[in-house]
């Protein structure tokens, strides 16, 4: 799926004196450049709603000066200019460049932020006009052979530039004061009057939900361009105000695709480099960090691992000397660069928790609370499923923005209302409502406190599990699996979820039958549940090994990572069932990514050590297996090389006919004996 160019907003280019370089054109070429630049400015439309007079006056001056430049090019006498004329032309070129940049940025940016900066922007227009006035004053127009009419135009422009004043349109200034007054009211927890809100938005040209949504996106982009912390906070307050205004004035809409959905689809179409994937979640890392063992993980995943009571490195099993997490900035920069090359949105650390890492202001927080309570109250009394779906979609989008929104939505009592939308009856008649309700719960579960709220809400967990098993769409089932993954981040909930046969069954069915995205959601959740040894036994009984073998060609990294975890903790039964995976693991060892080869090698070592001679013989029968192992020893990761060396030693001892005690664990029965113990 193509990614919208808005995902990568161009940096704003606020003009500065040093932002343009004087061209070194000769005579007429310089005039041609000035004509072209003045015509480009003349073709621009005046800024809508704000700074109308300033922008219109600037455009008119450019049109008049373009006529002067056209006259110079038509006059064959003026083929050579004096140094003073050339110097003026060069300086004019710089001023025109800065005018064009200022005009373009004002037209393409956020109207609300433009309003907040109305005074300095009006000053910028005035300063550029004064610079142009100075150049026109010292310009030796009498040295040029201009017609009388054109010379009068030149004088007229000079006069208008001289008369310019650094004033702000009273209407613009009044509108700015109204917005600031509204923010002050919200900060004091006073609900804004709807008529006043509508009047302000009308004056800004924001007259429907679509224009409001675009304005919010512009403000979010604008934060990325700000260095000053106060400006970021001010923009965050404006975003909160606009979200509230959009909901109360224009209602709810589901016409726009959820951003998460487009992101995940675009990632699924691209082969993500193994080094960019988190070894725990197998997802693209957003905030890579290094642990004491030297391994790199995504911060969120390794935090969940440590908070679950583990003190070892998930990849190496090495006990961690400390739990400090060191940011891997070099890798993060590489990932960001790769994402831009692939046109994949890259959300840096904190972008999912706050608006671009900006802590919410009092006004933004109160605006969020007002928005949430308005939506939740509207959802509780929705007269139809269509209306409920529209409101639920708004909650879904809001729950994705930041932690404050997630907390407010849960505290407003939204979870029990959303649970009512998860039933099979709703799913069959209104599948979009089921998807939106479940995805809202998924987004809410990102906040740690909300995990407890969801688990303790009557019917919430059963509702999620029912959608996992019988959801109306694959998207609903995949998001149900993702919700279970999120909830299982708490150790006690992981054990509780792992005891539920319906969860195991639902994940297995989704991994077998779902589309690629849904398969991945199911496998990542299975991997998380496999962190509990007791749950591994239930996974084996539920057919996890058969399932991952079935998808190993589609999602090799996820499948072999699960296989490694299961054979390591699943006991003799898991080893016996993994017998049929040996040849496929050999293929992964030869053709897989670095991460997949590492897990495949580790799995084979465990299987061979505990499975008996028949397992080793099966591995030895894989064509060119020793050469494959040698390649892993030479080109694999450090852990893959160690595991491959152990694997090669096992094969060499087996081929030499050494005692089985030297090849495998002496306390383990053969696979043939184990197989007789398995249920038919």
């Amino acid at each position: 799926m193509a990614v919208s160019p808005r995902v990568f907003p161009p940096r704003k280019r606020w003009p500065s004196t040093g932002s343009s370089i004087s061209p070194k054109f000769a005579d007429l070429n310089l005039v041609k450049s000035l004509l072209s630049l003045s015509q480009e400015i003349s073709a621009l439309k005046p800024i809508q709603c704000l700074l109308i007079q300033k922008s219109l006056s600037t455009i008119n001056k450019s049109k008049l000066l373009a006529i002067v430049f056209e006259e110079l090019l038509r006059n064959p006498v003026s083929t050579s200019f004096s140094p003073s004329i050339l110097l003026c032309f060069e300086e004019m070129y710089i001023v025109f460049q800065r005018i064009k940049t200022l005009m373009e940025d004002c037209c393409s940016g956020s109207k609300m932020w433009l309003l907040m900066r109305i005074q300095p922007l009006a000053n910028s227009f005035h300063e550029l006009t004064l610079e142009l006035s100075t150049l026109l004053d010292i310009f030796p127009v009498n040295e040029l052979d201009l017609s009388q009419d054109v010379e009068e135009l030149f004088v007229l422009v000079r006069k208008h530039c001289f008369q310019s004043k650094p004033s702000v349109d009273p209407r613009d200034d009044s509108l700015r004061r109204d917005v600031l007054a509204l923010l002050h009211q919200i900060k004091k927890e006073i609900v804004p009057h709807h008529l006043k809100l509508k009047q302000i938005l009308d004056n800004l040209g924001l007259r429907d939900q679509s224009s409001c949504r675009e304005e919010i996106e512009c403000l979010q982009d604008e934060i990325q361009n700000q260095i000053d912390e106060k400006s970021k906070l001010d923009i965050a307050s404006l975003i909160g105000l606009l979200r509230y205004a959009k909901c109360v004035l224009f209602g709810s809409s589901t016409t726009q695709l959820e951003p998460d959905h487009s992101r995940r689809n675009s990632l699924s179409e691209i082969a993500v480099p193994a080094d960019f994937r988190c070894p725990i979640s197998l997802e693209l890392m957003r905030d890579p960090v290094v642990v004491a063992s030297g391994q790199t993980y995504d911060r969120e995943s390794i935090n969940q691992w440590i908070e679950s009571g583990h003190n070892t490195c998930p990849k190496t099993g090495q006990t961690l000397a400390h739990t400090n997490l060191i940011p891997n900035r070099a890798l993060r920069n590489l990932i960001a660069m790769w994402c831009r090359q692939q046109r994949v949105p890259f959300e840096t650390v904190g972008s999912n928790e706050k608006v671009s890492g900006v802590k919410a202001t009092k006004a933004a927080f109160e605006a969020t609370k007002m928005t949430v309570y308005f939506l939740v109250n509207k959802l509780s009394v929705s007269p139809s499923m269509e209306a409920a779906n529209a409101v639920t979609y708004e909650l879904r989008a809001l729950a994705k923005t930041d932690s404050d929104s997630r907390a407010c939505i849960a505290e407003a009592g939204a979870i029990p209302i959303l649970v009512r939308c998860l039933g099979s009856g709703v799913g069959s008649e209104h599948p979009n409502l089921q998807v939106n309700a479940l995805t809202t719960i998924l987004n809410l579960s990102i906040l740690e406190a909300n995990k407890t709220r969801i688990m303790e809400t009557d019917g919430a967990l059963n509702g999620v599990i029912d959608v996992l098993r019988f959801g109306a769409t694959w998207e609903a089932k995949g998001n149900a699996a993702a919700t279970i993954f999120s909830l299982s981040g708490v150790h006690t909930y992981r054990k509780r979820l792992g005891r539920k046969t319906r969860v195991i069954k639902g994940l297995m069915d989704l991994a077998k039958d779902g589309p690629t995205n849904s398969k991945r959601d199911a496998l990542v959740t299975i991997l998380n549940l496999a962190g509990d040894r007791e749950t591994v036994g239930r996974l084996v009984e539920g057919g996890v090994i058969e399932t991952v073998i079935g998808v190993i060609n589609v999602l090799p990294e996820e499948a072999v990572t699960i296989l490694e975890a299961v054979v390591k903790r699943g006991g003799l039964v898991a080893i016996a069932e993994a017998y049929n995976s040996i040849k496929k693991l050999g293929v992964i060892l030869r053709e897989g990514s670095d991460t997949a080869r590492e897990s495949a090698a580790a799995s084979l070592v465990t299987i061979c050590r505990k499975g008996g001679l028949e397992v080793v013989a099966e591995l030895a029968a894989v064509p060119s297996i020793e050469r494959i192992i040698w390649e892993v020893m030479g080109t694999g990761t450090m852990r893959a090389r160690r595991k491959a060396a152990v694997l090669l030693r096992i094969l060499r001892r087996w081929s030499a006919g050494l005692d089985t005690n030297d090849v495998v664990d002496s306390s383990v029965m053969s696979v043939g004996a184990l197989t007789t113990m398995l249920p038919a």
Side-chain angles (χ1 to χ4, degrees):
M1 179 181 293
V3 179
S4 169
R6 183 174 289 281
V7 173
F8 306 95
R11 299 289 294 179
K12 292 289 187 292
R13 301 162 296 135
W14 298 116
S16 61
T17 304
S19 63
S20 304
I21 300 175
S22 176
K24 297 301 179 183
F25 298 139
D27 297 357
L28 291 180
N29 286 334
L30 179 55
V31 178
K32 289 178 181 178
S33 298
L34 281 168
L35 174 61
S36 176
L37 196 51
S38 61
Q39 288 174 337
E40 289 176 11
I41 297 172
S42 302
L44 295 175
K45 294 181 179 179
I47 302 171
Q48 296 181 3
C49 306
L50 302 169
L51 293 169
I52 297 175
Q53 292 301 321
K54 293 285 185 185
S55 58
L56 186 60
S57 175
T58 300
I59 290 171
N60 289 336
K61 292 183 181 70
S62 297
K63 288 180 179 179
L64 294 177
L65 287 175
I67 296 174
V68 175
F69 299 138
E70 286 177 344
E71 172 79 4
L72 290 174
L73 290 175
R74 282 197 302 266
N75 189 346
V77 177
S78 302
T79 56
S80 179
F81 302 116
S82 66
S84 59
I85 291 178
L86 285 175
L87 181 60
C88 285
F89 280 161
E90 290 173 359
E91 293 300 319
M92 280 184 196
Y93 187 90
I94 294 175
V95 172
F96 278 139
Q97 277 191 328
R98 294 170 62 203
I99 288 173
K100 181 187 174 188
T101 300
L102 178 61
M103 288 281 294
E104 289 177 342
D105 287 340
C106 288
C107 290
S108 63
S110 158
K111 296 176 183 176
M112 191 73 85
W113 185 234
L114 183 67
L115 178 63
M116 293 298 101
R117 301 183 66 249
I118 201 75
Q119 183 64 62
L121 287 174
N123 290 341
S124 294
F125 274 102
H126 176 66
E127 289 167 5
L128 289 171
T129 304
L130 285 184
E131 290 186 30
L132 186 60
S133 174
T134 300
L135 290 172
L136 296 178
D137 276 343
I138 65 174
F139 190 86
V141 66
N142 58 326
E143 295 182 15
L144 301 177
D145 188 16
L146 296 175
S147 65
Q148 183 177 354
D149 290 342
V150 172
E151 188 169 342
E152 288 176 356
L153 283 179
F154 183 90
V155 174
L156 179 63
V157 174
R158 183 169 58 190
K159 179 181 178 182
H160 284 175
C161 288
F162 179 76
Q163 293 175 344
S164 172
K165 296 180 180 180
S167 59
V168 175
D169 189 319
R171 174 183 167 279
D172 292 349
D173 188 56
S174 175
L175 188 58
R176 184 183 69 88
R177 293 177 185 275
D178 287 343
V179 172
L180 292 176
L182 276 184
L183 291 174
H184 186 66
Q185 283 183 4
I186 291 174
K187 189 175 180 180
K188 290 187 172 183
E189 304 180 30
I190 301 173
V191 177
H193 197 285
H194 292 185
L195 289 178
K196 190 63 177 179
L197 265 179
K198 189 175 187 308
Q199 180 186 5
I200 290 174
L201 265 59
D202 280 345
N203 288 334
L204 288 171
L206 306 175
R207 298 184 175 90
D208 53 35
Q209 187 175 99
S210 176
S211 59
C212 275
R213 186 185 297 114
E214 290 177 4
E215 176 66 13
I216 290 171
E217 291 174 356
C218 285
L219 285 169
Q220 290 170 335
D221 291 345
E222 195 66 56
I223 286 184
Q224 307 296 330
N225 301 323
Q226 302 302 318
I227 299 175
D228 177 47
E229 193 65 25
K230 184 181 182 303
S231 296
K232 293 183 178 182
L233 295 174
D234 291 342
I235 295 173
S237 298
L238 295 174
I239 291 174
L241 172 63
L242 271 176
R243 281 181 180 147
Y244 175 75
K246 178 175 73 74
C247 290
V248 300
L249 295 180
F250 307 120
S252 306
S253 170
T254 59
T255 56
Q256 185 182 7
L257 285 175
E258 174 68 15
D260 267 354
H261 183 65
S262 63
R263 178 181 66 81
R264 290 175 60 180
N265 281 348
S266 62
L267 274 177
S268 69
E269 298 170 359
I270 300 172
V272 178
D275 290 339
F276 293 173
R277 289 182 181 271
C278 174
I280 298 175
S281 68
L282 302 178
E283 295 289 336
L284 182 71
M285 287 188 280
R286 305 290 172 176
D287 185 17
V289 293
V290 181
V291 298
S293 64
Q295 301 294 326
T296 297
Y297 302 92
D298 197 39
R299 184 185 294 274
E300 182 179 359
S301 297
I302 193 62
N303 267 335
Q304 288 184 358
W305 173 265
I306 293 172
E307 289 169 2
S308 298
H310 298 92
N311 64 344
T312 58
C313 172
K315 284 184 69 173
T316 65
Q318 174 185 345
T319 300
L320 298 175
H322 57 79
T323 57
N324 296 334
L325 303 178
I326 303 171
N328 192 337
R329 293 188 176 88
L331 180 58
R332 185 175 62 183
N333 291 338
L334 288 174
I335 294 173
M337 187 183 305
W338 177 83
C339 285
R340 286 191 175 275
Q341 291 172 350
Q342 299 296 328
R343 305 297 292 170
V344 173
F346 178 66
E347 299 166 2
T348 56
V349 56
S351 63
N352 203 31
E353 288 302 306
K354 298 181 178 68
V355 181
S356 303
V358 179
K359 185 177 180 180
T361 62
K362 172 68 172 174
F365 179 71
E366 293 301 331
T368 297
K369 282 178 62 177
M370 291 177 187
T371 305
V372 166
Y373 279 95
F374 174 82
L375 290 172
V376 172
N377 289 335
K378 191 173 180 181
L379 180 61
S380 65
V381 297
S382 290
S384 66
M385 290 295 185
E386 289 77 9
N389 184 41
V391 177
T392 304
Y393 178 83
E394 292 293 341
L395 286 171
R396 169 185 176 175
L398 192 59
K400 182 181 180 294
T401 56
D402 52 51
S403 295
D404 288 334
S405 297
R406 296 179 194 117
C408 288
I409 292 171
E411 290 168 2
I415 296 175
I417 303 174
L418 292 168
V419 169
R420 299 203 299 259
C421 302
L422 301 182
S424 57
V426 174
S428 60
E429 296 183 12
H430 301 277
N432 287 339
L433 175 56
Q434 186 184 66
V435 170
N436 285 328
L438 182 65
T439 309
T440 305
I441 293 175
L442 168 60
N443 291 339
L444 293 177
S445 72
I446 296 172
L447 186 65
E448 204 70 16
N450 284 347
K451 289 178 170 61
T452 301
R453 288 191 176 101
I454 294 169
M455 293 294 287
E456 293 180 353
T457 298
D458 286 343
L461 181 57
N462 285 334
V464 172
I465 296 173
D466 286 344
V467 175
L468 173 66
R469 298 200 61 194
F470 310 112
T473 64
W474 289 118
E475 182 184 2
K477 292 181 177 182
N479 285 348
T483 304
I484 292 172
F485 170 82
S486 178
L487 296 173
S488 65
V490 178
H491 182 63
T492 54
Y493 298 156
R494 180 187 303 170
K495 295 179 73 70
R496 179 176 165 186
L497 290 164
R499 294 190 188 104
K500 292 185 176 294
T501 305
R502 291 187 304 148
V503 171
I504 304 297
K505 173 66 174 170
L507 291 173
M508 296 301 174
D509 290 343
L510 186 60
K512 290 176 185 175
D513 304 326
T516 302
N517 277 342
S518 299
K519 287 180 187 290
R520 182 177 286 113
D521 286 329
L523 292 177
V524 170
T525 306
I526 290 170
L527 179 61
N528 208 37
L529 294 178
D532 178 65
R533 187 175 296 274
E534 181 184 344
T535 302
V536 169
R538 294 188 177 87
L539 288 171
V540 173
E541 292 174 7
V544 66
I545 293 180
E546 178 186 352
T547 299
V548 297
I549 292 174
V551 301
I552 201 168
N553 294 330
V554 180
L555 297 167
E557 289 189 15
E558 290 83 349
V560 294
T561 305
I562 292 172
L563 194 59
E564 178 191 354
V566 171
V567 298
K568 181 179 179 181
R569 304 185 182 96
L572 303 181
V573 177
I575 298 296
E577 290 201 1
Y579 180 83
N580 295 326
S581 69
I582 291 175
K583 290 184 178 179
K584 291 195 174 184
L585 287 174
V587 174
I588 297 296
L589 209 58
R590 181 179 68 246
E591 301 175 355
S593 65
D594 286 346
T595 302
R597 293 164 79 193
E598 179 182 310
S599 293
S603 300
L604 286 170
V605 167
T606 303
I607 295 170
C608 288
R609 277 179 168 170
K610 299 182 179 181
L613 292 177
E614 293 179 33
V615 170
V616 184
E618 183 74 7
L619 177 62
V622 175
S624 307
I625 186 61
E626 286 202 14
R627 180 180 60 80
I628 294 170
I629 293 173
W630 274 109
E631 288 180 359
V632 176
M633 291 172 62
T635 62
T637 64
M638 289 300 296
R639 181 170 180 250
R641 294 179 188 185
R642 292 198 305 271
K643 295 296 182 180
V646 174
L647 207 54
L648 184 61
R649 189 160 56 249
I650 290 174
L651 284 174
R652 290 288 175 84
R653 289 179 179 275
W654 173 84
S655 63
L658 297 179
D659 192 291
T660 56
N661 289 342
D662 294 326
V663 181
V664 296
D665 292 348
S666 59
S667 61
V668 178
M669 292 180 286
S670 70
V671 168
L674 282 169
T675 305
T676 62
M677 300 171 57
L678 298 177

